[in-house]
Amino acid sequence: MELFDILVSATFWAAVLRIASPLIFATMGELICERAGVLNLGIEGIMVAGAFAGWIAVYAGLPLWGGVAVAFGAGVAFGLLHGLLTVPLGLSQHVAGIGITMLATAATYFAYRVALPEVSSPPKITAFQPTGWAVLGSQTVLTWAALATVAVTGWVLWRTPLGLALRAAGENPAAVEAQGLPVHALRMGAVAVGSGLMAVGGSFLTLSAFNSFFFEMVNGRGWVCIALVVFGAWRPGRALLGALLFAGFDAFQIRLQQTSLGAGLPYQLFLAMPYLLSVLALVVMSRRTEVPAALMTPYNKGER
Amino acid sequence: MAEILRLDGITKRFGPVLANDDISFALNEGEVLALLGENGAGKTTLMNILFGHYMADAGTVTVAGTPLPPGQPGAALEAGVGMVHQHFTLAGNLSVLDNVMLGTRPLFSLRAGRRAARARLAELSGRFGLAVDPDARVADLSVGERQRVEILKALYRDARVLILDEPTAVLTPQEVEALFATIRKAVAQGLAVVFISHKLGEVMAVADRVVILRRGAKVAEMRSAETDRHRLAEAMVGAEITPPDVPPAVPGEVLFRLDRVSTAGTPGLRAASLALRAGTITGIAGVSGNGQRALADLLSGLEVPVEGRAELMGAGLGIWSPRRAVGAGIARIPEDRHATGAIADFDLTGNAMLEDYHRPPMSRRGWLDRRAARRRAEEIIARYDVRCPGPATPIRLLSGGNMQKLILGRVLEAGPRIILAAQPTRGLDIGAVTYVHRQLLAARARGAAVLLISEDLDELRALSDVIHAIHDGELSPAFARGEITVKELGLWMAGQGGRDAA
């Protein structure tokens, strides 16, 4: 009975959307990168950097949207670095991506210490407030922006010439080249914009979900997004569904811990639940998916 | 007719290799020009320069009176040059329409304009006889259909010059006919076509004029109406080529037999029956990807029957593996010599001992005998005329023909009873092709049973005593030499044999 009560409570659904928002931004970012043929394992670090950059910008006096823009810019910068390594230089996308994650995390830590040398606990800012709009009024405007991002990503990828070129770059870059389009520029652009979205996803944590910055706050969400892209079969709508599902599990387990059932079981079990269920869903859903054929394949003009 | 394309003094070097040496020719509207030459003669390099994939060291390309800026595929496309590459440049997971539309609209427009594109594609399909479903996923299309998409892509962009790079290599004879019909329709409407090939028959059939390249230089230019295959061949090779004599076969006992054998995998064999007799060459004709690999793998021990019975020298296969296949005296000339025939970074000595390194005389009590291995390599180099600096050369530095000679030597030295020759002449020049043919015929004369899998119908019909067509894993009945026409064979290759083979 308690389980049912959880599922029909408005706060549960509000929590689902709140937990899903950063995942939605970052998943769309990763999806754009991978559709163009570049795996971006820098996502975890870029989210950390975005969370910090947005927060410190607002702390320094910028408006909240300014913070989001700064986070996006930080993401673009790391994305360009990842793109430089993997697109024109053609390095291993795995290695470069993990390197970006380590670099972005360390650089954030460094910047934090430089900016705030003497504080023991990070200062708080005034974050985005609930809109109070009719349906799900407890959400901030950033959540609505996340949902809009899904629609825009879908539109661009499937309804515009640019999207067609990006998807083709991830399927067969030689075909793109043969049509006189610049493969490297397309891929670099996709990685830059995708990384920007990842960073915005990170900044949601500091500018909307919470009002301060902690290092552990991204906590593996980047890796979850990598899985969500696969789960979503590289389609924005299905990836959104995956993000909501994961967030649903997460919100559910927190509430489950407070029930009589939760009292009898170790809480770590509940923490692991969304991940376990995600793995399960991944296995079921991704059997027959069409991976972008040129994902992780560098393209060099004049080579076969 | 007005001149549409002119190449002037095109020269291109790759390091010390002169790939194109001062090549010039011109092309008129409504004309088919064949560019004929062996592999490595510089045809593809020349077309890549024309299309802007490569930059020429010297020379100019002029389209309709305007010189093209070098190294810009976009400019070539703009000027109306369309290229159908030998390896198609299509995105498999996208639809036909998407592939055709790619890059035809400004990138940052808000709409794709699919409806107009669809109408235009349908109009072009009808006008040039290139039927294809615009919503089909390219990966689901046959090779012939994919080629139609490639041609449509070029036509969609208002190509005035259409370059077809070895367009018939992967087609059945009927598909070749359809392609030729399309080419004729295109030139009748004023397009100009450059047809790149090394197949003399096709060049004579479709071209108005022939430009012949040899070792990067233009050696001749003739009107096809004023020449014949023999003269073209001589100009292309630079020497007289005499095909090997094929004496009558002396068939012996059946050494390998398949009785309604199926294998796993797609495309696997489906209820295939076959008998390889001593002293004969059995040819398998088919468009690649129709189960040839499964057949070759079965004979090499990489694949096992899941249904039906396979017999080796009259007995069942037992536990079948590559090592047992080698042990039973099956010589394997693999389809992809780079991927499965040799280890690129090993030297010739290492590659020469790949199949029996674990047995005397190559190794004793678990130790390799490097000296014996080196002697073997030297023997093969001498006897099979492998041109190389020495047995310590990494095999990747050899040309395809010389690599193939080493593989031939490796498998033929042991005097095998059964020889699997999968695409043994693919990518070789005429000299090397003739050499391989002679070696296979010599093995046949010694009493070996040869299974020859090839896409080259001329080769198959010249060498095979018995011929089967393969389509989607099914083998046609066996036809004796001269019993089947190319047209009938083509129908079997398309899976329509025996129905209306009139």
Side-chain angles (χ1 to χ4, degrees), chain B residues 33 50 58 81 91 113 116 138 159 209 237 239 266 277 360 369 397 441 453 492 500:
Chain B
L33 177 91
L50 165 50
V81 179
V138 164
R209 226 157 20 103
V237 183
T266 44
R277 284 183 183 278
D369 185 344
L397 298 180
L441 287 167
I453 301 175
W492 282 103
D500 52 358

Side-chain angles (χ1 to χ4, degrees), chain A residues 40-275:
Chain A
N40 191 346
L41 293 184
I43 183 170
E44 179 79 7
I46 292 172
M47 287 181 78
V48 173
F52 171 77
W55 168 77
I56 199 77
V58 172
Y59 176 69
L62 257 58
L64 283 165
W65 283 109
V68 173
V70 168
F72 186 83
V76 168
F78 282 110
L80 286 173
L81 179 59
H82 183 60
L84 176 71
L85 295 174
T86 55
V87 178
L89 298 179
L91 303 185
S92 157
Q93 297 181 3
H94 291 108
V95 176
I98 289 172
I100 295 286
T101 281
M102 294 196 297
L103 173 70
T105 310
T108 302
Y109 190 76
F110 180 73
Y112 179 83
R113 278 296 155 215
V114 169
L116 305 162
E118 311 207 343
V119 299
S120 54
S121 67
K124 294 193 178 352
I125 56 162
T126 312
F128 280 104
Q129 297 302 311
T131 58
W133 297 342
V135 188
L136 294 168
S138 59
Q139 303 302 322
T140 69
V141 68
L142 265 192
T143 293
W144 299 105
L147 294 173
T149 304
V150 178
V152 171
T153 305
W155 176 270
V156 169
L157 282 178
W158 273 272
R159 293 277 180 265
T160 70
L162 175 67
L164 176 58
L166 283 177
R167 285 185 294 132
E171 292 290 342
N172 183 359
V176 177
E177 172 85 31
Q179 294 304 305
L181 296 173
V183 176
H184 286 182
L186 284 165
R187 284 186 160 186
M188 288 287 284
V191 175
V193 171
S195 302
L197 285 177
M198 294 170 192
V200 170
S203 76
F204 182 91
L205 298 170
T206 51
L207 299 183
S208 177
F210 198 58
N211 57 2
S212 188
F213 172 80
F214 298 101
F215 277 99
E216 320 77 58
M217 76 195 318
V218 173
N219 194 20
R221 282 182 175 83
W223 311 133
V224 171
C225 294
I226 301 269
L228 286 175
V229 172
V230 180
F231 175 87
W234 289 269
R235 286 171 186 282
R238 281 179 63 178
L240 169 66
L241 190 73
L244 292 173
L245 209 59
F246 179 87
F249 290 146
D250 205 19
F252 191 58
Q253 64 89 8
I254 293 168
R255 283 157 182 76
L256 214 52
Q257 286 185 46
Q258 294 149 7
T259 64
S260 52
L261 182 69
L265 288 167
Y267 74 95
Q268 289 92 343
L269 211 61
F270 292 99
L271 286 180
M273 197 179 79
Y275 297 93

Side-chain angles (χ1 to χ4, degrees), chain B residues 245-260:
Chain B
D245 290 329
V246 184
V250 191
E253 56 182 322
V254 173
L255 298 184
F256 188 85
R257 184 193 296 281
L258 298 181
D259 189 15
R260 300 193 62 75

Side-chain angles (χ1 to χ4, degrees), chain B residues 105-156:
Chain B
R105 301 240 316 160
L107 275 184
F108 295 98
S109 33
L110 279 176
R111 292 181 160 277
R114 300 178 69 85
R115 195 169 310 157
R118 184 183 295 273
R120 181 160 158 69
L121 184 62
E123 189 265 324
L124 287 169
S125 287
R127 182 139 62 96
F128 292 96
L130 293 160
V132 63
D133 171 12
D135 296 312
R137 221 168 57 108
V138 164
D140 299 332
L141 300 181
S142 73
V143 177
E145 288 171 313
R146 282 182 215 193
Q147 185 174 61
R148 277 181 237 156
V149 178
E150 280 282 13
I151 296 173
L152 280 168
K153 255 167 74 177
L155 296 173
Y156 188 89

